């Protein structure tokens, strides 16, 4: 997860991405670390395309989905 723009308040920006990811069907937990450019998501029947869309819609870029 990389920001389209710099974030003055990383905790706030991480929370925005976490909220977006938690809004995806099946997501039970989401943790975002912008310093490491990493988001970890746990849940059931997750659709990687929906996760990617949620991050992009929140204003960030996705470089890799595993």
């Amino acid at each position: 997860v990389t920001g389209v723009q710099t974030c003055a308040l990383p905790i706030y920006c991480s929370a925005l991405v976490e909220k977006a990811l938690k809004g995806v069907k099946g997501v039970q937990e989401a943790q975002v670390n912008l310093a490491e450019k990493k988001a970890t998501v746990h849940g059931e029947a997750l659709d990687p395309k929906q996760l990617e869309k949620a991050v992009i819609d929140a204003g960030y870029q996705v470089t890799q989905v595993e």
Side-chain angles (χ1 to χ4, degrees), residues 1-3 10-11 14 32-39:
V1 177
T2 58
I11 293 173
S14 293
V32 175
N33 184 325
L34 291 180
E36 293 182 10
K37 298 181 181 180
K38 182 177 180 180

Side-chain angles (χ1 to χ4, degrees), residues 26-57:
V27 173
Q28 296 171 343
E29 181 183 350
Q31 295 178 333
V32 175
N33 184 325
L34 291 180
E36 293 182 10
K37 298 181 181 180
K38 182 177 180 180
T40 304
V41 180
H42 297 280
E44 295 182 19
L46 299 174
D47 180 351
K49 294 287 183 194
Q50 290 299 316
L51 296 172
E52 184 175 357
K53 182 180 182 321
V55 172
I56 291 169
D57 289 349

Side-chain angles (χ1 to χ4, degrees), residues 6-16 34 60:
T6 58
C7 181
L9 300 168
I11 293 173
Y12 174 76
C13 297
S14 293
L16 285 177
L34 291 180
Y60 291 81

